[in-house]
Amino acid sequence: MRSFDETYRGKRILITGHTGFKGSWLTLWLHELGADITGIALPSNRQINHFDLLKLPIDDRRCDIRNIEDINQVFKEKSPEVVFHLAAQPLVRRSYKDPLETWSTNVMGTVNILEACRQNESVKAIVVVTTDKCYQNQEKTRGYHELDSLGGHDPYSASKAGAELVAGSYRDAFYNTKSKPLLATARAGNVIGGGDWSEDRLIPDIIRAIELNHSLEIRSPSSIRPWQHVLESLNGYLLLGQKLLSGDKTFAEAWNFGPNLDGNRSVAEILGKLESTWKQLQWRATDQPQPHETKLLYLDNTKAKSKLDWNPVWGIDEALLHTASWYQAWMDAKKVISRQQLADFIAKSS
């Protein structure tokens, strides 16, 4: 993990969703590793965007992954060797409001990316990022492992299960000869960290409430999620890409990247920990009816630990501390400390 053995230096990397929360951190990390990066994303509709703040010198393309002609043009021009597919409609409640957008982006968008990969001999490795919510939820008291059934109640979860099926189909039907790329899928937990201003996510909602001096309304304070810093999942994606580039087909599978048991906490517990950092934080449980969401969800990370030698670096307390520190630096002085935090993460892993 510390150097990735120069795996990515000079490599032509395509990242879809590079302007999103995860995508911007991944773009930063790959830039630090010396990669030649092209990003594909929709134009941002937010006033503040982590990717824009980083000012990374990459080829920044703004197009829709649902437009196969635009996608093919980018692949033709750039001939990527590695593709990290992160672009998605990533929000559960938004998926209830606009299921067509969710299904078309998460399923057909994935089809378009994998079809472009199929048509371009330059591509050697593909990592498709889905979610911990792609499992058929049964409120299990154990972590879901990679062979558990896929499915979903809400359009977001179901569409991500669909993306997993699309990836599996392309792997079996088209990427099964020596000359074809290796493809893996990655399922991470609830990621937190600096630079996230998305709607309907706990940490960004907290920041907005603090800045406005409002009490935060919480939907499901008792719901349990697998909380982890964004760099934990990205470390897993980069390890996967490295293994796939080496040509080892045994890694062309599905992988969980979730925290250890300590990271599986209720929303109320996370809020309680953050109250000690942000004294002005106020919250209350909503009394309004809400769309169905999973109450209990966490991942079994045994496979990634034993076969990829991947291990969480920051526990839940460190993850929350670094997240709070990032936002405090931004609120106090408009300072972006992402590079420093990435360096701290890598140093801790040594």
Side-chain angles (χ1 to χ4, degrees), residues 61-74:
R61 304 290 185 98
R62 300 304 171 101
C63 58
D64 194 327
I65 59 171
R66 293 172 293 184
N67 187 321
I68 187 63
E69 289 81 13
D70 287 350
I71 297 304
N72 282 335
Q73 185 60 35
V74 174

Side-chain angles (χ1 to χ4, degrees), residues 292-349:
H292 175 274
E293 290 189 66
T294 299
K295 297 297 183 185
L296 174 62
L297 176 61
Y298 58 97
L299 296 173
D300 185 325
N301 61 17
T302 303
K303 179 181 174 182
K305 283 181 166 182
S306 61
K307 295 185 177 181
L308 266 178
D309 198 25
W310 173 89
N311 281 283
V313 175
W314 288 337
I316 184 61
D317 290 330
E318 282 184 288
L320 289 169
L321 174 63
H322 283 87
T323 299
S325 297
W326 195 101
Y327 284 106
Q328 204 63 55
W330 173 255
M331 289 189 289
D332 290 346
K334 296 297 181 284
K335 187 176 180 181
V336 179
I337 60 172
S338 307
R339 286 178 175 84
Q340 176 188 325
Q341 292 200 335
L342 174 59
D344 291 343
F345 182 85
I346 294 171
K348 176 70 183 293
S349 73

Side-chain angles (χ1 to χ4, degrees), residues 79-210:
S79 297
E81 298 167 271
V82 186
V83 175
F84 290 96
H85 175 43
L86 285 74
Q89 191 301 94
L91 302 172
V92 171
R93 295 216 298 176
R94 181 168 164 181
S95 78
Y96 280 108
K97 296 175 184 176
D98 196 341
L100 179 58
E101 175 206 29
T102 302
W103 280 99
S104 60
T105 301
N106 295 351
V107 176
M108 287 310 301
T110 300
V111 171
N112 288 342
I113 295 299
L114 296 184
E115 184 62 17
C117 290
R118 185 171 79 92
Q119 301 292 340
N120 285 266
E121 294 183 357
S122 63
V123 180
K124 306 302 179 189
I126 309 163
V127 178
V128 174
V129 174
T130 61
T131 177
D132 55 353
K133 297 177 182 65
C134 70
Y135 292 107
Q136 182 67 55
N137 186 266
Q138 299 171 5
E139 305 293 345
K140 290 181 181 289
T141 55
R142 64 160 176 83
Y144 290 94
H145 56 69
E146 288 83 351
L147 295 180
D148 278 329
S149 298
L150 301 176
H153 181 281
D154 58 88
Y156 168 70
S157 301
S159 68
K160 281 298 197 173
E164 285 278 352
L165 294 175
V166 167
S169 171
Y170 266 80
R171 181 167 46 224
D172 294 340
F174 304 119
Y175 302 156
N176 55 5
T177 62
K178 188 175 182 180
S179 63
K180 295 301 182 182
L182 297 181
L183 183 157
T185 60
R187 307 157 181 176
N190 271 39
V191 294
I192 59 174
D196 187 6
W197 278 283
S198 302
E199 60 180 301
D200 246 1
R201 285 187 184 151
L202 182 63
I203 302 298
D205 285 349
I206 289 172
I207 299 302
R208 284 186 282 267
I210 289 174

Side-chain angles (χ1 to χ4, degrees), residues 2-117:
R2 289 170 287 284
S3 68
F4 290 103
D5 299 323
E6 299 293 299
T7 296
Y8 294 105
R9 186 166 300 281
K11 286 287 191 303
R12 297 185 304 277
I13 311 291
L14 177 70
I15 304 173
T16 73
H18 69 291
T19 61
F21 173 45
K22 274 188 182 178
S24 59
W25 277 95
L26 179 60
T27 304
L28 170 62
W29 199 337
L30 281 164
H31 177 262
E32 297 295 298
L33 291 171
D36 176 7
I37 305 169
T38 300
I40 291 175
L42 290 171
S44 176
N45 59 3
R46 298 191 192 102
Q47 276 190 314
I48 308 174
N49 182 280
H50 185 226
F51 173 77
D52 293 337
L53 296 176
L54 292 170
K55 302 185 187 313
L56 297 171
I58 72 160
D59 188 350
D60 177 15
R61 304 290 185 98
R62 300 304 171 101
C63 58
D64 194 327
I65 59 171
R66 293 172 293 184
N67 187 321
I68 187 63
E69 289 81 13
D70 287 350
I71 297 304
N72 282 335
Q73 185 60 35
V74 174
F75 272 77
K76 181 180 178 181
E77 290 179 25
K78 305 304 295 189
S79 297
E81 298 167 271
V82 186
V83 175
F84 290 96
H85 175 43
L86 285 74
Q89 191 301 94
L91 302 172
V92 171
R93 295 216 298 176
R94 181 168 164 181
S95 78
Y96 280 108
K97 296 175 184 176
D98 196 341
L100 179 58
E101 175 206 29
T102 302
W103 280 99
S104 60
T105 301
N106 295 351
V107 176
M108 287 310 301
T110 300
V111 171
N112 288 342
I113 295 299
L114 296 184
E115 184 62 17
C117 290

